[in-house]
Every structure is written in structure tokens, then in C-alpha cells.
Amino acid sequence: MSRGSILVIDDKPQVRRLLRGTLVASGYEVADVRSGDEALNRIREERYDVALLESDLPGKSGFDTCVAIRATGSKIGIIMMST
């Protein structure tokens, strides 16, 4: 049984891989994307409990992505990261 679903949003593959491995081993369902635009598409298509969002994304920053997520009406929990 899953503990919940998490969307990891980070442009660095090694960070996504590390977070995915750790979270899956702890019983979470995990999806990951590398950009704010990909995150917005995923959040529109699927339901997640929490987003782990890198603040320093290329293109649409993590802060801009956070604002855009809220503009969709999503109530997803957002935890900002800085790696």
C-alpha cells in the first residue's frame, strides 16, 4: 500500500534519481519531471499529494512554477528545495 504520491521537479537527473529511490523505498509512489512546464502538465493530468520543487529551475523558475500551480486551483502540498 502506498503512503502517498509525490511529484519531484528538478532539472538534475542525479537529484531526481536519489529522491525517487529514497521515497520509493519508503513506500511512496513517485513521478519526476525536469521542468516547470512538465510539472504543470503532470499536475493537470494526475493527482499528487506533494510536489518537491527545486527553486532554481532553468526557464520557468521554481517560484514561477509554484505560482502557476496555484493558478490552476491545485491544492497540492509544495515543498521548495534548493540543491
Side-chain angles (χ1 to χ4, degrees):
M1 175 154 220
S2 170
R3 298 179 111 186
S5 59
I6 299 175
L7 179 61
V8 175
I9 309 157
D10 198 300
D11 61 315
K12 297 169 205 73
Q14 64 274 22
V15 172
R16 292 193 314 270
R17 192 171 35 253
L18 174 68
L19 288 172
R20 174 185 280 282
T22 301
L23 293 166
V24 167
S26 296
Y28 294 95
E29 292 179 31
V30 179
D32 62 83
V33 295
R34 61 180 180 243
S35 74
D37 289 327
E38 287 181 78
L40 287 168
N41 289 335
R42 281 288 186 94
I43 288 170
R44 286 183 188 113
E45 295 171 0
E46 298 183 39
R47 184 193 161 300
Y48 299 95
D49 298 307
V50 174
L52 299 179
L53 176 57
E54 169 61 37
S55 61
D56 187 30
L57 292 173
K60 184 187 300 272
S61 75
F63 297 106
D64 291 339
T65 300
C66 183
V67 170
I69 290 169
R70 289 294 175 240
T72 69
S74 174
K75 301 290 186 202
I76 187 173
I78 299 173
I79 299 172
M80 297 295 289
M81 306 183 299
S82 180
T83 56

